[in-house]
Amino acid sequence: CFCNPGACQWFLGLSNNDIRKQYESGHICSDYNDLIDGVPTGAVRVSFGFMTRRKDVDKVICMIEECYLTAPASRLQRLSSAELPKSLMHIPERLKPRLKEICIYPVKSCGVFKIMDSWPLTSIGLLYDRGWMIVDASGMALTQKHQPRLCLIKPIINRHSGTMELSFAGMKSVYVALEMASEDINVVRSSVCRSKVCDDLVTGYDCGDTVASWL
């Protein structure tokens, strides 16, 4: 990188630990490891001299546009895997979009629930995503804008037992039924929030005194 490790470290904002970790991972000058654990290992240096012409500059700009500014799909169309060296064979596959993780937020403004397997998709989105909300005495939904500690409430959905577990550090977990029996439903009409995005009136169901006391 720049033929000057110190300048490279300063330009990329790398710490001494970052540099040490890269070398311990096998990184050497002029290899093809552009990233190690998501951290860049170097940069492309372009040098201009007395013999540089306008067409040379245009060629560099064209390369930057084609290789770094165009969409991955366009780059793949021009990339011939058969012509790549073995050390670069992984690049076309790496550029293809992949779904790495699906997350839902069962309780509005609370913590995330990460899906580890397949998950039902309903007509209004992923099942149980934003299916619950916490409201105050007036029926207004609480959000992290005013209650930032809501993000520390961790929901865990267990579809086999039909329950959602709510946990918070230092407290015993509480459980909420995913589906409520009709005789247990207490309809509560409330406004989700006063904003241009979600100012519609919605109909909700009171989940009971146990979870209310826990909250």
Side-chain angles (χ1 to χ4, degrees):
C1 179
F2 305 162
C3 297
N4 186 330
C8 180
Q9 179 180 357
W10 174 83
F11 179 77
L12 296 176
L14 302 178
S15 66
N16 291 338
N17 287 335
D18 292 331
I19 297 295
R20 188 178 298 108
K21 188 173 183 179
Q22 290 178 357
Y23 284 118
E24 290 175 350
S25 300
H27 170 58
I28 60 174
C29 184
S30 300
D31 64 15
Y32 294 111
N33 295 320
D34 298 334
L35 295 172
I36 294 180
D37 291 338
V39 178
T41 61
V44 176
R45 181 185 66 181
V46 179
S47 300
F48 296 101
F50 178 76
M51 301 300 294
T52 303
R53 297 292 182 263
R54 174 66 180 268
K55 64 179 182 180
D56 300 323
V57 177
D58 292 339
K59 192 169 185 178
V60 170
I61 294 175
C62 182
M63 180 274 293
I64 293 174
E65 291 176 343
E66 290 186 359
C67 297
Y68 296 98
L69 301 182
T70 57
S74 300
R75 279 181 274 167
L76 281 173
Q77 293 178 356
R78 297 192 300 270
L79 192 61
S80 176
S81 301
E83 298 177 0
L84 291 174
K86 290 184 178 180
S87 56
L88 297 180
M89 287 293 186
H90 66 285
I91 290 182
E93 190 66 25
R94 191 179 67 182
L95 291 176
K96 294 180 181 179
R98 294 182 179 180
L99 178 62
K100 296 181 64 176
E101 192 174 57
I102 297 178
C103 299
I104 63 174
Y105 295 83
V107 184
K108 178 178 172 60
S109 289
C110 291
V112 64
F113 174 69
K114 295 184 178 181
I115 297 171
M116 301 302 178
D117 202 347
S118 60
W119 199 259
L121 184 64
T122 71
S123 60
I124 57 174
L126 292 168
L127 184 65
Y128 302 131
D129 186 38
R130 273 82 170 185
W132 291 263
M133 63 181 179
I134 302 172
V135 300
D136 59 17
S138 64
M140 292 295 298
L142 301 181
T143 68
Q144 290 185 35
K145 292 179 181 178
H146 303 290
Q147 301 291 339
R149 286 166 60 85
L150 284 174
C151 67
L152 301 178
I153 298 177
K154 303 297 183 183
I156 301 175
I157 290 181
N158 189 326
R159 293 169 57 201
H160 297 291
S161 64
T163 60
M164 175 175 63
E165 176 186 355
L166 298 180
S167 63
F168 188 87
M171 294 181 62
K172 186 177 180 180
S173 297
V174 68
Y175 295 84
V176 178
L178 295 178
E179 305 294 339
M180 300 185 66
S182 57
E183 60 270 17
D184 296 331
I185 292 177
N186 177 22
V187 179
V188 178
R189 293 187 177 275
S190 62
S191 178
V192 175
C193 59
R194 298 186 185 278
S195 72
K196 295 181 180 179
V197 178
C198 47
D199 56 353
D200 295 330
L201 290 175
V202 298
T203 299
Y205 303 119
D206 190 341
C207 292
D209 295 335
T210 301
V211 66
S213 300
W214 185 87
L215 292 169

